[in-house]
């Protein structure tokens, strides 16, 4: 069968692309609705069209692919729905940069319609980059069903949801404080803002009490917003200021009168206990302003320059204004002091610009009534988080949820389906595009804003399956089985999908939320462009193969926890693939004359056969149980241990004698059968983790079917479990290991045979060894093997080990050259004495001990102790050799 063997060297580049093309050409990823089959479905967390594969994507999609491939092999009607997200802000920024760099134009130069054309062109040119990279990873998505958040069907779903929520009174327009990004020129929701601790300043200003010489000191981190102050607040029980409540202060620079009022929000212990209130530029001030009917004065433009109503500061950047304003306050005597102050500053998640809280007219979704069923779905256990600890994080966020600002001042995205009549002042929200006012017949103006990207992705589990139509896909595959995602988007995405799934499908969108952590660098740092520590998964795939990357990521991962990327682990995983490759190659080389119809009788099986079949059966159960519990890393580790340690290192070695003896036909055929059976079925177990190498090897061994990916997944192998065979084999393997260790200790040449004497705790164990003496001869170089009677005297001048009820003796006479070994040990002792003298000299040096760090001294003491222990062991060995 040599011509059918796999190549000598494991080279993933030679076959990975070939097999992916084969799977796609044979439509093995595609699924049709089969109502007689149990469904298993996953919707991909849609990557941004701006994106390219990073380690987080590689981990996330490998976790999904393992589950899909496993369930497909189990016979489920599986659907893995792929697609991508239009990513409003991120994509608009990319296209604007391209226009600026290539044509020197801004979007305003070419207008909205032309700009949108450019975005679609960019999407068609670059939007498939990440999905093609997912293919190289081995992702078995149903690409024939690929969706995009702005394709026709998803857009219809978005409009239906918006209009329905509006009709139910759950979507409204309001003037509210939102997070405003001056660079992206749009409002952001709270969870699109990242807060970082920054070293800033607390500026102490003084405001004069109207009609008196008294001044009130106020502390602020943003002095430029004072131009929009419309009040000053104190705590109602702060005795320092109760006499001021109801009076007015004079706003410095501006000269405007502003009232002093009492509000329990004020913390008397922070700053001076007096708070300037700027309702248009601070969320807490906005709430106080609402309670006390304060005027809202906007003093900042959308680009964070000062507004027209700010006098001499008009047009200045906010920080430039701060600098000039402070100089002016100082000149007037209104700047008391400036102190260092560490505080949390909000940044735009996309462009990292410091956001400004700004009052503006926006569209909002009322969240309270949507949040309650979403909490109940999790507390009742209908939806389960894996690991369970993320349930608390999810519930805590929903308990304190604020209304969701869904409008964005962008051009790229789902345009809000609202129209305004400037003549009669009416607002219309409609499923169909409107041109004239239904009330007065005049022309309508459409809302300029688009929806938050997360609005459309919140509908992903059902919009991708054809909703609002009642499709066969929805009936079969919704709710989906599991959502795989990182913990960083539980609020952005997971919670919103649950809320809108319950609202529009009256059903949860998924049964399990499988949370994974981030992939960090070897030092535990987040991978980022600024640190330059990002590792490109495509490079790893090109160098080591997708299987190596996938298996490394999985075996380094536990649900919910971050993992570290080590190149050493990549190398180790590639070595595992290489080990499997070489073992498979060995099996294929030794299948000459194998009759695939041959089935051994029970008496044909050796102890090694029964042992490996039992270990295989337990591995099937172990891997399956771990997959059921989402412990994919544990499942991978179980496979690694079985393949490397048991199948390759032990069973193949034990089978060699029978494979090479062509005269013993039944024994040889039995070994071939067991090798083939275990190898083929272990490849099936491993396939979801390492799809390419398993397909390549499987296609070369005797098999049935077109591809391993649609072969039946192993199950129900309990009848092969043989506890006695495992116990017996463990005793033999432990004995072999102890003989190898003893031989290594006295440097016995690998090819040299050595006498071994064995004594047994039980007659049964003795019989096992008598029947399987050949394993000791072949694998431990034990020849002859003598059995010691229970009452016989123990051998002298022999090394001894006790394992699993077996006493093992290795007589030394004639085994080693005593003179040569003595000379070697004396030489080693001389070197050791020099090292010991050096370290002892260091530790007795008072100057070194006084100056060296504690950890350095501790290390030297550890070395000293190790040298002394080794010296004692060598001297004992020399004494022993002298007695021979």
């Amino acid at each position: 069968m040599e011509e059918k063997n796999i190549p000598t060297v494991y080279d993933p580049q030679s076959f990975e692309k070939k097999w992916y093309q084969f799977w796609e050409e044979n439509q093995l990823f595609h699924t049709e609705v089969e109502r007689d089959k149990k469904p298993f479905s996953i919707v991909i967390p849609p990557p941004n069209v701006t994106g390219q594969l990073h380690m987080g994507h590689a981990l996330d999609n490998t976790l999904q692919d393992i589950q899909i491939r496993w369930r497909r092999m189990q016979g489920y009607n599986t659907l893995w729905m792929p697609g991508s997200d239009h990513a409003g802000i991120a994509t608009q920024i990319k296209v604007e940069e391209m226009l600026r760099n290539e044509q020197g134009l801004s979007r305003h130069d070419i207008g909205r319609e032309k700009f949108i054309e450019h975005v679609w062109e960019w999407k068609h040119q670059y939007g498939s980059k990440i999905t093609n990279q997912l293919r190289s990873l081995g992702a078995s998505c149903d690409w024939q069903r690929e969706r995009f958040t702005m394709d026709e069907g998803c857009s219809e779903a978005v409009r239906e949801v918006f209009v329905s929520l509006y009709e139910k009174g759950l979507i409204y327009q309001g003037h509210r404080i939102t997070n405003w990004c001056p660079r992206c020129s749009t409002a952001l929701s709270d969870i699109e803002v990242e807060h970082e601790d920054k070293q800033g300043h607390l500026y102490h200003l003084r405001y004069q009490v109207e009609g008196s010489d008294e001044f009130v000191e106020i502390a602020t981190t943003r002095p430029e917003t004072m131009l929009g102050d419309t009040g000053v607040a104190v705590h109602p029980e702060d005795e320092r200021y109760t006499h001021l409540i109801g009076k007015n202060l004079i706003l410095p620079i501006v000269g405007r009168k502003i009232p002093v009022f009492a509000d329990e929000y004020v913390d008397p212990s922070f700053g001076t206990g007096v708070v300037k209130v700027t309702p248009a530029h601070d969320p807490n001030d906005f709430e106080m302003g609402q309670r006390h009917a304060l005027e809202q004065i906007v003093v900042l433009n959308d680009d964070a320059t000062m507004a027209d109503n700010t006098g001499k500061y008009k047009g200045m950047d906010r920080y430039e204004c701060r600098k000039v304003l402070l100089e002016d306050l100082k000149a007037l005597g209104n700047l008391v002091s400036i102190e260092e102050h560490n505080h949390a500053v909000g940044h735009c998640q996309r462009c990292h610009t410091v956001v400004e809280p700004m009052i503006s007219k926006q569209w909002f979704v009322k969240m309270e009534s949507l949040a309650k069923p979403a909490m109940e779905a999790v507390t009742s256990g209908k939806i389960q988080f894996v690991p369970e600890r993320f349930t608390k994080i999810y519930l805590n966020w929903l308990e304190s949820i604020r209304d969701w600002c869904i409008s964005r001042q962008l051009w790229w995205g789902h345009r809000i389906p609202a129209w305004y009549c400037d003549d009669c002042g009416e607002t219309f929200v409609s499923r169909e595009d409107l041109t004239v006012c239904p009330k007065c017949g005049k022309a309508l103006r459409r809302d300029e804003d688009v929806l938050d990207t997360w609005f459309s992705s919140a509908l992903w589990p059902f919009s991708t399956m054809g909703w609002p139509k009642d499709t066969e896909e929805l009936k079969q595959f919704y709710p989906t089985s599991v959502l795989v995602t990182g913990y960083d988007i539980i609020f952005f995405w997971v919670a919103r999908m649950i809320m809108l799934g319950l609202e529009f499908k009256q059903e949860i969108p998924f049964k399990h939320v499988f949370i994974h952590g981030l992939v960090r660098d070897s030092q535990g740092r987040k991978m980022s462009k600024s640190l330059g520590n990002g590792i490109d998964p495509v490079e790893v795939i090109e160098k080591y193969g997708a299987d190596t990357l996938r298996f490394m990521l999985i075996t380094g991962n536990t649900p919910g926890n971050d993992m570290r990327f080590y190149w050493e682990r990549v190398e180790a995983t590639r070595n595992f693939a290489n080990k499997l490759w070489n073992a498979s190659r060995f099996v294929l080389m030794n299948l000459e004359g194998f009759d695939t119809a041959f089935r051994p009788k029970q008496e044909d099986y050796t102890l090694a056969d029964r042992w490996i079949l039992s270990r295989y059966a337990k591995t099937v159960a172990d891997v399956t149980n771990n997959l059921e519990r989402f412990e994919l890393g544990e499942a991978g580790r179980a496979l690694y241990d079985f393949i490397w340690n048991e199948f390759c290192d032990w069973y193949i070695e034990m089978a060699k004698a029978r494979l090479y003896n062509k005269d013993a036909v039944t024994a040889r055929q039995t070994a071939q059968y067991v090798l083939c059976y275990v190898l083929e079925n272990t490849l099936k177990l491993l396939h979801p983790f390492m799809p390419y190498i398993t397909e390549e090897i499987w296609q070369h061994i005797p098999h049935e079917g077109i591809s391993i990916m649609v072969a039946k997944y192993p199950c129900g192998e309990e009848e092969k479990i043989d506890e006695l065979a495992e116990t017996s084999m463990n005793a033999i393997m432990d004995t072999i290991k102890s003989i190898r260790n003893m031989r290594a200790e006295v440097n016995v040449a690998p090819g040299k045979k050595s006498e071994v004497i064995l004594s047994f705790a039980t007659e049964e164990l003795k019989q096992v060894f008598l029947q399987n003496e050949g394993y000791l001869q072949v694998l431990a170089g034990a020849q002859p093997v003598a059995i010691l009677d229970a009452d016989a005297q123990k051998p002298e001048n022999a090394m001894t080990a006790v394992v699993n009820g077996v006493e093992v003796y290795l007589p030394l006479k004639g085994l080693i050259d005593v003179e040569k070994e003595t000379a070697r040990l004396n030489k080693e002792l001389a070197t050791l004495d020099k090292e010991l003298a050096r370290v002892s000299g260091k530790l007795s040096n008072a100057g070194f001990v006084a100056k060296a760090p504690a950890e350095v001294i501790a290390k030297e003491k550890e070395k000293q102790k190790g040298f002394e222990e080794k010296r004692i062991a060598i001297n004992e060995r020399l004494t022993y050799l002298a007695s021979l």
Side-chain angles (χ1 to χ4, degrees):
M1 243 176 116
E2 179 59 37
E3 72 282 354
K4 291 188 180 176
N5 208 340
I6 54 178
T8 312
V9 178
Y10 167 60
D11 173 22
Q13 302 309 325
S14 68
F15 59 79
E16 288 194 346
K17 285 187 176 69
K18 171 188 79 175
W19 286 121
Y20 200 90
Q21 191 178 341
F22 173 83
W23 295 327
E24 280 212 83
E25 284 173 357
N26 286 278
Q27 298 190 38
L28 298 182
F29 303 152
H30 180 59
T31 189
E32 292 294 340
V33 172
E34 296 179 67
R35 295 307 295 272
D36 57 329
K37 283 188 179 180
K38 196 173 178 182
F40 184 86
S41 57
I42 297 178
V43 291
I44 199 169
N48 292 352
V49 284
T50 59
Q52 63 180 47
L53 195 68
H54 58 62
M55 277 300 167
H57 289 127
L59 171 61
D60 190 270
N61 286 283
T62 298
L63 291 168
Q64 292 172 78
D65 194 42
I66 288 170
Q67 291 174 86
I68 282 290
R69 286 180 181 271
W70 167 51
R71 295 298 193 187
R72 188 187 286 123
M73 292 174 78
Q74 284 188 322
Y76 283 73
N77 188 196
T78 54
L79 169 64
W80 186 10
M81 180 74 77
S84 52
D85 195 305
H86 66 278
I89 296 176
T91 306
Q92 182 159 313
I93 289 170
K94 282 262 195 219
V95 178
E96 284 188 278
E97 279 175 7
M98 183 190 73
L99 272 175
R100 191 164 52 249
N101 295 337
E102 292 180 7
Q103 299 178 38
L105 297 172
S106 75
R107 62 185 163 114
H108 300 288
D109 293 330
I110 61 172
R112 184 172 192 143
E113 197 175 320
K114 198 74 183 162
F115 178 74
I116 296 299
E117 284 177 22
H118 277 285
V119 184
W120 277 108
E121 281 171 21
W122 188 92
K123 188 263 176 190
H124 293 311
Q125 191 173 348
Y126 300 106
S128 60
K129 182 177 183 181
I130 192 167
T131 51
N132 287 332
Q133 289 176 332
L134 286 173
R135 284 174 162 89
S136 70
L137 184 69
S140 60
C141 299
D142 189 344
W143 296 111
Q144 293 177 48
R145 295 182 180 272
E146 189 173 356
R147 301 302 299 267
F148 178 53
T149 48
M150 281 184 63
D151 67 25
E152 196 177 324
C154 289
S155 296
E156 184 188 348
V158 166
R159 185 173 284 203
E160 178 59 36
V161 166
F162 185 96
V163 176
S164 295
L165 290 174
Y166 180 80
E167 289 170 348
K168 292 174 183 178
L170 293 175
I171 281 184
Y172 66 93
Q173 259 185 315
H175 283 86
R176 297 281 297 275
I177 283 280
T178 56
N179 306 290
W180 185 268
C181 175
R183 185 175 173 192
C184 298
S185 292
T186 184
L188 306 172
S189 65
D190 290 345
I191 51 178
E192 288 172 294
V193 178
E194 294 176 340
H195 288 89
E196 294 176 16
D197 280 341
K198 293 273 185 180
Q199 188 60 46
H201 298 92
L202 201 55
Y203 302 93
H204 289 257
L205 314 177
R206 60 183 204 156
Y207 291 16
Q208 188 173 5
V209 179
E210 184 189 21
S212 84
D213 294 334
E214 187 181 356
F215 285 86
V216 174
E217 191 175 317
I218 289 167
T220 179
T221 57
R222 297 159 67 220
E224 64 279 6
T225 63
M226 66 168 284
L227 301 171
D229 286 0
T230 55
V232 168
V234 296
H235 194 277
E237 294 171 15
D238 191 337
E239 292 176 0
R240 293 173 294 175
Y241 305 116
T242 48
H243 69 287
L244 291 175
I245 296 168
K247 292 184 179 179
N248 291 325
L249 303 184
I250 305 300
L251 185 61
I253 305 285
V254 182
R256 186 169 63 246
K257 287 193 289 187
I258 56 175
V260 179
F261 59 90
D263 195 290
E264 290 193 348
Y265 165 76
V266 179
D267 177 3
S269 65
F270 180 75
T272 62
V274 183
V275 174
K276 61 185 275 308
V277 181
T278 321
H281 293 285
D282 182 278
N284 298 308
D285 292 7
F286 175 80
E287 299 295 339
M288 280 196 284
Q290 295 282 86
R291 288 195 289 274
H292 300 280
L294 298 182
E295 186 185 357
Q296 298 164 347
I297 301 174
V298 177
V299 295
L300 281 162
N301 296 319
D302 290 354
D303 60 356
T305 58
M306 304 309 292
D308 290 352
N309 59 2
T310 58
K312 68 177 278 190
Y313 311 107
K314 173 188 167 184
M316 287 185 185
D317 171 76
R318 53 185 162 170
Y319 299 122
E320 183 192 355
C321 171
R322 181 182 295 181
K323 193 175 172 183
V324 175
L325 179 66
L326 288 169
E327 288 297 324
D328 292 345
L329 288 166
K330 187 178 180 182
L332 291 168
N334 290 98
L335 177 60
V336 179
S337 62
I338 302 173
E339 62 176 285
E340 296 286 315
H341 177 61
N342 197 317
H343 63 128
V345 178
H347 293 75
C348 172
Q349 189 199 44
R350 293 286 178 198
C351 69
H352 217 62
T353 303
V354 174
V355 299
E356 278 292 342
M358 297 258 277
I359 196 161
S360 57
K361 192 177 186 183
Q362 302 288 347
W363 289 91
F364 294 87
V365 179
K366 289 181 183 175
M367 299 301 274
E368 193 179 346
S369 65
L370 294 172
K372 282 178 184 171
M375 292 169 74
E376 194 274 331
V378 172
T379 53
S380 67
K382 286 180 194 166
I383 297 174
Q384 294 178 355
F385 278 82
V386 181
E388 199 273 334
R389 69 177 186 271
F390 286 99
T391 303
K392 191 176 179 184
I393 295 167
Y394 168 86
L395 293 173
N396 285 348
W397 183 71
L398 284 179
E399 277 166 8
S400 55
I401 198 166
R402 290 166 62 170
D403 286 356
W404 174 17
C405 174
I406 54 169
S407 45
R408 297 290 180 271
Q409 288 63 54
L410 303 170
W411 288 356
W412 173 243
H414 292 100
R415 199 157 170 189
I416 289 172
W419 287 262
Y420 308 105
C421 180
D422 294 328
D423 281 81
C424 64
E426 288 290 325
T427 298
F428 302 96
V429 168
S430 170
R431 288 174 178 80
E432 307 299 327
D433 285 1
L434 301 175
T435 53
V436 295
C437 177
K439 191 172 180 182
C440 70
K442 297 288 173 64
L444 291 173
R445 171 176 56 85
R446 185 164 185 181
D447 196 305
E448 293 286 316
D449 291 351
V450 299
L451 287 164
D452 177 10
T453 301
W454 296 101
F455 191 91
S456 51
S457 54
L459 320 181
W460 192 245
F462 55 90
S463 67
T464 51
M465 294 187 199
W467 187 91
K469 296 182 183 73
D470 188 21
T471 63
E472 289 300 306
E473 283 77 7
L474 277 168
K475 289 173 191 168
Q476 176 74 339
F477 297 116
Y478 188 93
T480 61
S481 308
V482 59
L483 176 79
V484 180
T485 188
Y487 57 66
D488 52 337
I489 56 172
I490 289 175
F491 314 133
F492 281 107
W493 194 42
V494 180
R496 288 165 175 174
M497 281 191 286
I498 294 171
M499 285 188 266
L500 294 179
L502 288 166
E503 179 69 19
F504 287 95
K505 284 292 295 169
Q506 290 74 53
E507 180 63 272
I508 56 172
F510 27 73
K511 294 161 191 167
H512 292 94
V513 182
F514 180 20
I515 302 286
H516 60 80
L518 302 176
V519 183
R520 298 182 178 274
D521 72 5
S522 58
Q523 296 175 47
R525 300 173 302 174
K526 192 173 178 177
M527 291 185 184
S528 70
K529 284 181 185 174
S530 58
L531 287 173
N533 64 342
I535 293 160
D536 183 355
V538 175
E539 282 183 28
V540 181
I541 290 168
E542 285 171 356
K543 187 174 180 185
Y544 292 96
D547 286 329
T548 292
L549 175 63
R550 288 167 62 113
F551 201 71
M552 185 280 297
L553 287 170
I554 289 306
T555 49
N557 182 258
T558 51
N561 292 336
D562 291 349
M563 64 171 289
R564 295 189 182 192
F565 183 98
Y566 295 98
W567 281 108
E568 296 83 353
R569 291 194 59 248
V570 177
E571 295 276 357
T573 309
R574 196 266 314 273
N575 292 345
F576 169 66
N578 210 43
K579 182 98 170 176
L580 173 63
W581 185 264
N582 290 336
S584 304
R585 183 173 164 74
F586 171 81
V587 172
L588 286 161
M589 281 170 62
N590 286 281
L591 289 185
E592 186 188 335
F594 177 53
D595 177 5
T596 54
F598 172 80
R599 294 293 178 271
K601 298 189 181 90
Q602 194 58 37
E603 61 267 24
D604 295 335
Y605 288 123
T606 62
L607 174 63
D609 295 335
R610 297 200 313 276
W611 167 74
I612 197 66
L613 288 168
S614 182
R615 292 301 309 134
Y616 155 73
K618 284 187 179 177
T619 302
V620 171
D622 196 10
V623 170
T624 305
N625 289 339
N626 277 307
L627 286 172
E628 294 279 3
R629 295 186 298 115
F630 298 98
E631 291 286 354
L632 276 60
E634 285 302 310
R637 274 188 283 275
L639 276 166
Y640 180 97
D641 290 342
F642 174 73
I643 291 167
W644 187 297
N645 299 326
E646 295 174 328
F647 185 65
C648 296
D649 282 356
W650 285 102
Y651 182 71
I652 284 179
E653 294 304 313
M654 290 171 170
K656 281 179 178 177
R658 285 182 293 160
L659 291 173
Y660 298 158
N661 184 0
K662 294 186 179 180
D663 295 333
V665 177
T666 301
R668 186 166 181 270
Q669 288 259 338
T670 302
Q672 289 173 326
Y673 170 81
V674 174
L675 279 167
C676 269
Y677 183 88
V678 175
L679 177 59
E680 186 196 2
N681 286 290
T682 304
L683 288 172
K684 290 175 188 173
L685 288 176
L686 185 62
H687 175 74
F689 300 85
M690 302 177 82
Y692 293 114
I693 189 173
T694 50
E695 184 74 87
E696 177 70 11
I697 296 168
W698 186 84
Q699 293 286 353
H700 282 82
I701 63 175
H703 67 269
E704 290 178 10
I706 185 174
S707 167
I708 192 172
M709 71 171 280
V710 288
K712 189 175 182 297
Y713 197 77
C715 65
E717 303 276 17
E718 291 81 7
E719 78 282 353
K720 293 184 175 63
I721 293 174
D722 187 333
E723 297 293 356
L724 180 60
E726 288 196 39
T727 305
S728 302
M729 200 71 231
N730 284 339
I732 290 172
M733 291 190 299
D734 287 345
T735 301
I736 290 168
K737 281 186 245 179
S738 70
I739 296 168
R740 286 172 174 174
N741 290 341
M742 287 189 286
R743 283 169 59 98
E745 206 176 312
V746 291
N747 295 313
V748 177
K752 188 178 174 75
K753 299 290 182 186
S754 56
E755 181 189 4
V756 171
I757 301 169
L758 304 174
S759 175
F760 300 99
T762 65
E763 182 61 27
E764 290 81 9
L765 201 53
K766 177 179 172 183
Q767 291 305 316
V768 166
F769 273 74
L770 284 170
Q771 290 161 21
N772 295 282
E773 185 183 314
Y775 296 139
L776 274 69
Q777 293 172 352
V778 173
L779 299 178
Q783 205 168 349
V785 177
I787 308 296
L788 201 64
D789 290 333
D791 55 354
Q793 192 176 346
K794 307 297 182 197
E796 291 182 3
N797 294 333
M799 296 182 79
T800 312
V802 180
V803 289
N804 278 343
V806 184
E807 288 178 21
V808 186
Y809 299 94
L810 188 70
L812 291 171
K813 194 167 184 182
L815 190 62
I816 55 172
D817 185 327
V818 175
E819 195 176 318
K820 194 174 175 184
E821 181 65 7
T822 303
R824 186 188 71 78
L825 288 169
N826 278 320
K827 189 177 176 184
E828 193 176 331
L829 192 63
T831 305
L832 200 58
D833 284 340
K834 281 182 192 171
E835 288 295 318
L836 190 55
R838 183 188 61 76
V839 77
S840 300
K842 251 188 186 182
L843 290 169
S844 60
N845 182 326
F848 170 77
V849 173
K851 290 175 186 175
E855 61 268 23
V856 172
I857 294 169
K859 210 173 221 178
E860 292 299 317
K861 283 183 177 176
E862 207 176 300
K863 278 186 198 171
Q864 184 185 44
K865 187 184 174 191
F867 291 151
E868 284 170 347
E869 286 172 354
K870 199 167 182 183
R871 194 175 187 283
I872 291 166
I874 289 173
N875 277 317
E876 283 177 355
R877 188 101 199 95
L878 284 166
T879 305
Y880 181 70
L881 287 170
S883 70
L884 293 178

